[in-house]
Each structure stands twice: as C-alpha cells, then as structure tokens.
C-alpha cells in the first residue's frame, strides 16, 4: 500500500526520463513549440508529481517562520529562470551548447520543484496564503510572457534555432509556443492558487 502511494514520484521521474531522453529534447533545440512543450512538461507536470510523491515519502513542511521567505524566494527564482532562459542570448546558448541546455533544463526542474513544494507543503492558513500568492504570481508572469511571444510580429530568436515544427513555419511555431505558455503554463498555477485561496477561506470562516 505504501508503494502505491508513491506512484506520483515514480510517474514524475519516468516522465522526466521520457522528456529528456526522447526526441523532444533535440527538437526543442531547433524549434520553439517543442521547446515550450519540454519546458512545460518539466515544470508543470513532472515537478508537481515529484513533489506530491516526495511529500508522501517525507511529509514534513517548511518551518513556519520561513513560509513567506520561502514563497518569495521560490517565486523570484521561478521568475528569473522562466524569463531569463527566454531571453534570446540565453535561449540560443541552450540551443547551441550541451552544457547550457543541461543547465537550462535543470533550472526549469529545480524552479518547478521549489515552487510546487512551497505551495503544496503547507500545513496551516498562513502557509496556504503564501502558497496562493506564489501560485498566482507564477500564473501572471507565465501568461504575460506567453502573450508577448504570441503578439511578437517577427521572430525573437535566430532563424537557425527557430526552424518551425509540426508543419508550421517559424513565426507561427513561435506563436504556438507562446500560446502554450500563456494557456497551459498559466492555468495550472491559477488553479493551484485558487484552490489554496479557497482552502484558506474555509479555514478562516
């Protein structure tokens, strides 16, 4: 029974292996929408599964005095990782160099793990409040970056790193990637933040 409770951890690790060892990783270095699918798969699917499984294995939460500091730190780190790796210079460096790509992917994973752990490890009302704010901030900045990519009238990245995928030309492919971020990147955080806010409201009632 205990092993069955750890299925999210196993699923998250298997998903990471599939994302990083499968064809998507190489596609992500040549076209933008595969990059975004890989990015979102790591941060909003694999990371929360690993956190849920990890909390079942090690249920201890963050010390109360660190709950707000931890939420702020995780939010700032998440923002810096997401926006930083989508700056043209860093995005193109990850496409060119194996070392930069490895650092990029590990930073996506650690940012996702930190944010989801801060938000899901809470054991009291103040922890839920801190988690809700962190989730809603992540939702807003992911949506904002996604919309900017969708509305960009020209390619943001060098053509050799934005070749297009799934039958799309480079610019529509970039716009598809932005749309995926705006919708599927922001929605899980918005839902998570709303859930924590509703739980907080019930505790305060």
């Amino acid at each position: 029974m205990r092993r069955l409770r750890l299925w999210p951890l196993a699923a998250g690790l298997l998903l990471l292996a599939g994302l990083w060892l499968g064809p998507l990783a190489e596609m992500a270095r040549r076209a933008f929408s595969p990059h975004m699918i890989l990015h979102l798969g790591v941060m909003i699917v694999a990371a929360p599964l690993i956190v849920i499984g990890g909390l079942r294995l090690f249920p201890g939460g963050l010390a109360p005095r660190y709950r707000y500091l931890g939420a702020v730190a995780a939010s700032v780190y998440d923002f810096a990782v997401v926006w930083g790796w989508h700056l043209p210079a860093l995005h193109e460096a990850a496409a060119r160099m194996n070392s930069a790509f490895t650092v990029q992917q590990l930073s996506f994973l650690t940012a996702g793990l930190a944010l989801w752990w801060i938000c899901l490890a809470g054991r009291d009302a103040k922890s839920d409040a801190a988690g809700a704010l962190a989730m809603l901030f992540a939702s807003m900045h992911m949506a904002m970056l996604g919309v900017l990519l969708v509305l960009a009238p020209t390619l943001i990245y060098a053509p050799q790193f934005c070749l297009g995928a799934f039958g799309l030309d480079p610019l529509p492919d970039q716009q598809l990637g932005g749309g995926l971020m705006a919708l599927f990147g922001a929605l899980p955080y918005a839902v998570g933040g709303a859930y924590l806010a509703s739980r907080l409201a019930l505790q305060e009632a």
Side-chain angles (χ1 to χ4, degrees):
M1 185 64 68
R2 180 178 174 83
R3 292 179 180 178
L4 289 177
R5 283 176 51 79
L6 298 181
W7 72 262
L9 178 60
L13 293 174
L14 285 173
L15 176 59
L16 275 182
L19 289 170
W20 286 344
L21 300 178
L24 190 62
E26 188 58 35
M27 292 174 64
R29 302 174 71 169
R30 301 193 306 268
F32 192 72
S33 62
H35 157 82
M36 191 57 64
I37 294 169
L38 181 63
H39 167 187
L40 297 177
V42 170
M43 292 192 75
I44 67 170
V45 184
L49 284 171
I50 292 171
V51 167
I52 291 168
L55 286 172
R56 291 179 178 180
L57 190 60
F58 303 104
L62 189 67
R65 64 182 178 276
Y66 297 130
R67 60 171 69 93
Y68 290 113
L69 179 61
V72 170
S75 296
V76 170
Y77 180 51
D78 176 75
F79 177 84
V81 164
V82 171
W83 283 73
W85 283 112
H86 290 94
L87 294 173
L90 290 182
H91 180 83
E92 292 165 13
R96 289 196 313 271
M97 298 182 291
N98 291 334
S99 58
F101 182 77
T102 300
V103 172
Q104 179 199 64
Q105 294 302 310
L106 290 177
S107 63
F108 283 156
L109 177 61
T110 55
L113 291 174
L115 189 63
W116 286 103
W117 184 77
I118 285 293
C119 295
L120 297 179
R123 295 292 183 269
D124 54 39
K126 291 184 178 179
S127 296
D128 285 347
L133 290 174
M135 289 258 118
L136 294 175
F137 175 70
S139 174
M140 288 188 293
H141 81 70
M142 292 280 277
M144 185 181 301
L145 180 55
V147 169
L148 289 175
L149 290 164
V150 169
L151 296 179
T154 59
L155 284 178
I156 296 175
Y157 307 107
Q160 64 266 36
F161 306 122
C162 200
L163 298 176
F166 310 118
L168 295 173
D169 290 333
L171 182 57
D173 181 66
Q174 177 180 281
Q175 293 167 338
L176 172 61
L180 291 172
M181 172 176 273
L183 179 59
F184 297 108
L187 185 59
Y189 294 122
V191 171
Y195 166 73
L196 291 175
S198 67
R199 194 165 72 174
L200 175 63
L202 289 175
Q203 292 176 13
E204 296 293 332

